[in-house]
Amino acid sequence: QEQLVESGGGSVQAGGSLTLSCAASGYTVRDYSMAWFRQAPGKEREGVAASRVGIIKYYADSVKGRFTISQDAKNTLYLQMNSLKPEDTGIYYCAAGPRSPAYGQSWYLNPEKYNVWGQGTQVTVSS
């Protein structure tokens, strides 16, 4: 059964760092489209970072240069978040989609393209 389990959320002051982890079971992460999304209170879920075949990475403009998506050989997806800002606050979700189709950033950061979701982990950044 395909399953994603996130961990690593927490509270941090602005300028700090956090690393989120997403443990995948039931399939091989590098073979599928993988992404991190976030949802702030009262806002729609937005794409933060995505990975295509574990090599091509996509980032939302708001996090480019501060966040890094990666994965390891143990089938875990990560999101390294540096220089955090209060506007980064929200629930962060890991998601998996089809087998890395040859589409661009707008596809990979669209939550409607993903069919397997983790339970989410809260990230709170205080000023």
Side-chain angles (χ1 to χ4, degrees), residues 32-87:
Y32 289 80
S33 48
M34 300 293 300
W36 287 96
F37 294 86
R38 68 186 179 191
Q39 189 164 19
K43 294 187 177 182
E44 293 185 351
R45 192 169 297 187
E46 63 172 346
V48 173
S51 175
R52 173 179 159 189
V53 294
I55 299 174
I56 301 172
K57 312 296 175 64
Y58 302 104
Y59 297 95
D61 289 344
S62 59
V63 306
K64 204 168 290 183
R66 300 188 298 122
F67 290 12
T68 302
I69 187 172
S70 63
Q71 54 204 72
D72 65 13
K74 295 183 179 179
N75 223 30
T76 299
L77 187 73
Y78 299 96
L79 185 67
Q80 173 68 43
M81 305 185 294
N82 298 325
S83 302
L84 282 162
K85 304 176 181 180
E87 52 263 43

Side-chain angles (χ1 to χ4, degrees), residues 4-18:
L4 300 172
V5 179
E6 302 103 331
S7 61
S11 298
V12 64
Q13 289 191 327
S17 298
L18 283 173

Side-chain angles (χ1 to χ4, degrees), residues 33-38 44-51 58-60 93-98 101 103-117:
S33 48
M34 300 293 300
W36 287 96
F37 294 86
R38 68 186 179 191
E44 293 185 351
R45 192 169 297 187
E46 63 172 346
V48 173
S51 175
Y58 302 104
Y59 297 95
Y93 299 90
C94 171
Y103 296 130
Q105 177 166 320
S106 60
W107 190 98
Y108 274 82
L109 294 182
N110 182 349
E112 296 180 0
K113 305 302 183 184
Y114 294 79
N115 60 325
V116 180
W117 292 83

